[in-house]
Amino acid sequence: MQITEITVRTFRYTSYVGRDSEGHGHPAAPNEALTSLLTIGTDTGIEGYAFGGIAPGVLETLVKPVLVGQDPFYREWIWQRLKERQRLNMGSLNDKVLALVDVALWDLAGRAVGQPVYKLLGAYRDKVPAYASTMCGDDLEGGLDSPEAYARFAVQCSERGYPAFKLHTWQPPIPGAPDVKRDIAACAAVREALGPDVPLMLDPYHYYSREEALYLGRELEKLGYAWMEEPMDEHSMSSYVWLAQQLDLPICGPETVEGKMYARAEWIRYEAADIVRGGIGDLGGITPLVKVAHLAESFGMRMEVHGGGAANLHVLCAMGIPGQFYERGLLHPFVDYETPQPWLSEIDDPMDDEGYVHVSQRPGLGWDIQFDYIEENLVSSH
Ligand code: MG
């Protein structure tokens, strides 16, 4: 089998989420938004898919020369060649591009052999407990505008079946943010509402000082929180070593810092985090996420996968370390999470009443794509 073509189709849809000036999503009036479908085609007619776009210039000059004519099962070779091409091209050939290509190749492989990707990886389970992962705090009345609002939403999520809950608290440009005291007030209100036994996590503003992060950590220890993510700029690994040494509270990271599996190895070596972190988009695909999962396991460490979606879920179902959750969200009292987007027949992560998300048994990553919708709403194609 040989790769013959790679195409990107961009299409419009109605979104109920808007972005603030810092890029954080919040509920919004219906608005027209764009998304893309990447397709990798082969001489057999079998295709693989991923949702996201690659700019025409990057596709032509950096991606196609590596892929076209290659065996699509040579995922590791392709990933390594693209990684090497990032040198001198990091601004355009970023890890999100590597992730899109790699996800589409895994989807293609699954479709070619008629098996879901998590079984190709080496299946461990077919369902994973989820935590409710909130949107960032806002100033919408009845939304996530106060500690009491987080507590109310946490109770709703618990009643829906979620066994655990993670707060993303207020960040600029929301008035008054960031504020460590208000963050802790929200964390305390949620603990009070759900009782002592529910695992709770915090992902706050990402640019707190060392002293502010230490204050947060010590207060979360008193509240019995399960972990804290990224309270400081992750480029300063020394700050995380300093923080982790002083806290019993587990620190989970790094999440957004560049460096793929190499950065995770350094954080493990220097004990900058207690729980390893990474997701498809942060690391550059399923291929490097599996490397990091095995790295964490080899050091006897848990790994918590960043973000949801089919690709992250399939990897989670092939990881054998107990205690890991699926990050379901981002959730908000005003946003419907359970209805599929019009270009898919089902959501990626259906959750049962006990809070388990079930992985699709369809070949590949399980997407039943509604191509008619994409064609009817096509904006551009290259
Ligand atoms: Mg996070």
Side-chain angles (χ1 to χ4, degrees):
M1 196 187 300
Q2 274 194 357
I3 297 171
T4 52
E5 59 178 353
I6 307 146
T7 58
V8 174
R9 276 174 277 188
T10 299
F11 55 98
R12 69 173 72 84
Y13 70 102
T14 302
S15 173
Y16 300 90
V17 172
R19 302 266 156 204
D20 65 30
S21 60
E22 302 289 315
H24 301 117
H26 302 286
N31 59 90
E32 186 179 300
L34 298 176
T35 190
S36 301
L37 176 69
L38 177 82
T39 304
I40 297 181
T42 63
D43 55 0
T44 63
I46 297 169
E47 297 181 333
Y49 307 98
F51 290 97
I54 301 177
V58 178
L59 189 64
E60 289 300 324
T61 62
L62 295 169
V63 174
K64 280 189 182 175
V66 173
L67 268 78
V68 173
Q70 288 302 326
D71 181 338
F73 282 90
Y74 271 58
R75 288 179 302 270
E76 182 73 27
W77 186 91
I78 289 169
W79 190 80
Q80 295 288 350
R81 294 293 82 71
L82 288 174
K83 180 171 78 72
E84 288 169 5
R85 287 192 144 215
Q86 287 186 305
R87 187 171 179 273
L88 308 181
N89 295 298
M90 199 51 161
S92 51
L93 187 61
N94 55 45
D95 287 344
K96 301 251 184 294
V97 175
L98 267 62
L100 279 172
V101 170
D102 189 66
V103 165
L105 289 173
W106 276 100
D107 184 53
L108 194 158
R111 290 172 189 265
V113 302
Q115 292 292 332
V117 165
Y118 83 104
K119 288 192 175 175
L120 299 190
L121 290 167
Y124 180 81
R125 53 184 168 175
D126 58 15
K127 61 178 183 176
V128 186
Y131 63 85
S133 187
T134 74
M135 286 184 168
C136 293
D138 52 49
D139 53 1
L140 302 168
E141 197 179 336
L144 294 172
D145 61 338
S146 66
E148 298 71 38
Y150 276 93
R152 272 196 304 275
F153 189 46
V155 170
Q156 278 177 33
C157 290
S158 176
E159 287 168 358
R160 167 68 180 87
Y162 287 100
F165 187 84
K166 187 172 91 186
L167 301 86
H168 289 98
T169 43
W170 300 275
Q171 301 200 37
I174 302 300
D179 181 340
V180 285
K181 292 233 160 81
R182 198 166 181 227
D183 289 350
I184 289 302
C187 291
V190 171
R191 172 55 79 206
E192 172 79 23
L194 294 186
D197 298 327
V198 175
L200 300 177
M201 297 76 92
L202 171 66
D203 188 349
Y205 179 58
H206 309 303
Y207 303 98
Y208 280 130
S209 67
R210 287 189 181 196
E211 291 78 8
E212 288 166 328
L214 183 60
Y215 168 82
L216 277 177
R218 289 198 168 137
E219 294 300 313
L220 292 181
E221 282 174 355
K222 294 178 201 162
L223 294 169
Y225 268 55
W227 78 68
M228 175 165 64
E229 287 170 29
E230 205 179 346
M232 304 176 289
D233 192 325
E234 289 181 339
H235 290 99
S236 173
M237 189 176 71
S238 293
S239 293
Y240 280 86
V241 174
W242 178 90
L243 183 67
Q245 276 175 351
Q246 299 183 76
L247 291 176
D248 292 328
L249 175 78
I251 299 296
C252 183
E255 177 172 298
T256 54
V257 77
E258 307 85 349
K260 305 181 179 68
M261 63 280 187
Y262 305 116
R264 276 74 193 169
E266 298 299 325
W267 278 55
I268 292 170
R269 181 183 175 197
Y270 289 101
E271 300 182 346
D274 306 282
I275 302 169
V276 181
R277 187 79 165 153
I280 300 296
D282 312 308
L283 289 162
I286 290 173
T287 296
L289 183 55
V290 170
K291 292 176 199 273
V292 173
H294 293 172
L295 177 69
E297 183 181 4
S298 302
F299 276 90
M301 295 176 77
R302 273 171 57 205
M303 177 175 179
E304 288 294 342
V305 170
H306 170 218
N312 281 322
L313 179 57
H314 277 262
V315 175
L316 265 169
C317 287
M319 287 164 60
I321 315 170
Q324 295 139 329
F325 288 105
Y326 174 83
E327 180 168 14
R328 196 165 192 261
L330 300 175
L331 307 178
H332 189 282
F334 299 165
V335 174
D336 169 20
Y337 188 82
E338 305 292 341
T339 304
Q341 296 284 8
W343 59 90
L344 290 172
S345 67
E346 283 172 28
I347 58 173
D348 283 352
D349 51 4
M351 188 178 86
D352 66 26
D353 294 343
E354 271 77 55
Y356 284 94
V357 166
H358 294 251
V359 70
S360 171
Q361 298 301 312
R362 286 198 198 91
L365 289 164
W367 292 309
D368 177 25
I369 300 171
Q370 309 298 294
F371 289 99
D372 287 352
Y373 178 87
I374 292 174
E375 290 306 321
E376 284 160 17
N377 292 280
L378 198 64
V379 172
S380 67
S381 175
H382 61 263

